[in-house]
Each structure stands twice: as structure tokens, then as C-alpha cells.
Amino acid sequence: MENHLLVQDIFIYPIKSLGGIRLMEADVEERGFRYDRRWMLVDAEGVFVTQRVYPQLALLGVNLNASGLEVFHKKDPLNRIEVPFDLAMGPELVVTVWDDRVVAKTVATHLNTWFSDFLGFSVSLVVMPETSHRKVDPRYAVQGEFVSFADGMPYLIIGQESLNELNARLEFPVSMDRFRPNLVFSGGSPFLEDQLRTIKIGNLPFQIVKPCARCVLITVDQQSGKQGKEPLKTLSTYRSVNNKVYFGQNVVALSVGKIRIGDPIQLQE
């Protein structure tokens, strides 16, 4: 059974804490899939803005087109803006993501206005230049990797069976988008990802480095932007270690290339 693991879904979240995009194939880079969490909203102090505090950010969807991102309001799809890939008018500023201080560039003033109007307070959209290097926590890095504006690790993998098992315990099932994975695989047993170490996806090697601790973000319905108690409440009854609730595994890529939906996942010894 464990031999038939396949890539079921590939997701990127270009702007941290906004909607995700499902891709048929993705470019694997050291700091995460190409375009994954390379943009971020920050407040007037330069601190990252997230659904943990502003669940309404779930209402902002993102599309990928040839020249850039398109951000739109899920309840008002005509309310949308374009974020060209190559746009970074500046100035440079130092922004804060958790314990890290990172050099970023402001994208454009008119975009700041759009996002500030949506949230009701002043924010700036920033982008991470290629020259900006935010290191993965050395306790978990394999080759001294860098990471994007993601919480801490370049990739997150979850088995579909793990979600199915959780949903069997919930009165109202939740969808995978609550957990913001980059990779979802089919096959295997629930929580098989907890036992994986080195894997090959297609022909690219990846290393699973640590379980992912979950927070209140998973209680935000990604379609309505409303917050509840589940699935954190149920998960905490059987997926807790030292007061942290775990679901999914953090991963680093050991080489670069391309992976696709349908690629086999092989366990390496």
C-alpha cells in the first residue's frame, strides 16, 4: 500500500496568508516552490500581517497569470488588482517574520492603498528579492537552506488519508485548504507522513525535517473568512505533544527541478 503514493495536489500561496493556488506542476526551488510566499503584507512597523489575527484575509483569492498575480475579493470578484512579477518600486525596508528580520522591497503605493482599504488599517505589500537570504532554522536545515516568507520551512506535506481520518472525527468536515500544504499525496495510511524521512518525488529528493505545529489559523474557513473552534479542538485531543498540536510535516528540497501532479513518491532508506 505504502508503495503507491502519488502527488495529488500542489499548492502555492504567493502572498503570505492570502488564498492558495492549485498547480498542475511546479518549479522546486530551495526557498520553496517558485512564487510561493514571495510577497507579504506588513503593518506600519514592518511586522507581517496574518490570518491568525485578521481571518478576513482568507477572503482574498489569488490567481497566477503570465505576467504576475491577480488578487481578488472572493465575495466581490470584480474588486481586483494586478501585481506584476517584476514590480518592486521600493523603497527597501527591513520586515519582521516571527523571529527573523528580512530585507524586502515595497511593491507599489497603489497596491498598499488597495490592501489598506480592505483591512481598514495601513499595510504595505512587500516582495522578497532574490538577494534577500532568510535562513532555515539551523536545527532543521540540511544544506543551510534559505526560506521565503513562509512561517519557517520551504515546504509542507500532508497525506489525504490524514485529513480523511480527522474528518471522520468531526461533525462538520473541513477541507485541506485550512492547513495550507504545498504537497498533498494520495495513498498510504493516515499520518504516514509522520514516519517519512527521505523521499523522492518524481526524480527529486526531499528531506522531511520536522512535524508542523498548528495554530488558530486552521480554525478559519477559507471561503467565508469566519473563525470557529474546529478542527483545532478535535486535533488537540489526539495529535498533541508538549502542548503543541501537530498536523503535516515540514520538508526541504535537496535539489531543484520540476514536479507534477501524479508523480510517484518513493521512500528512500
Side-chain angles (χ1 to χ4, degrees), residues 196-217:
L196 303 179
R197 286 302 161 256
T198 310
I199 58 175
K200 251 189 165 170
I201 303 179
N203 56 10
L204 296 184
F206 291 80
Q207 178 109 10
I208 285 149
V209 291
K210 75 174 191 70
C212 181
R214 310 313 305 221
C215 67
V216 294
L217 198 151

Side-chain angles (χ1 to χ4, degrees), residues 113 134 180 217 229 240:
T113 306
R134 178 184 175 220
R180 303 178 76 78
L217 198 151
K229 290 195 166 57
S240 283

Side-chain angles (χ1 to χ4, degrees), residues 158-215:
I158 300 176
Q160 179 63 43
E161 289 303 318
S162 304
L163 180 66
N164 295 349
E165 196 275 351
L166 167 62
N167 276 333
R169 297 166 180 257
L170 294 173
E171 185 183 357
F172 301 105
V174 296
S175 55
M176 189 64 91
D177 59 9
R178 299 261 187 140
F179 299 97
R180 303 178 76 78
N182 296 108
L183 288 157
V184 180
F185 65 87
S186 60
S189 48
F191 304 107
L192 172 67
E193 58 270 24
D194 295 354
Q195 299 152 41
L196 303 179
R197 286 302 161 256
T198 310
I199 58 175
K200 251 189 165 170
I201 303 179
N203 56 10
L204 296 184
F206 291 80
Q207 178 109 10
I208 285 149
V209 291
K210 75 174 191 70
C212 181
R214 310 313 305 221
C215 67

Side-chain angles (χ1 to χ4, degrees), residues 7-36:
V7 175
Q8 173 184 300
D9 303 293
I10 295 172
F11 294 105
I12 59 171
Y13 309 86
I15 304 177
K16 184 178 179 67
S17 240
L18 269 61
I21 302 170
R22 185 176 186 266
L23 301 176
M24 296 309 291
E25 59 176 42
D27 291 303
V28 174
E29 298 176 352
E30 178 182 331
R31 59 183 87 193
F33 285 133
R34 179 171 295 171
Y35 306 130
D36 186 43

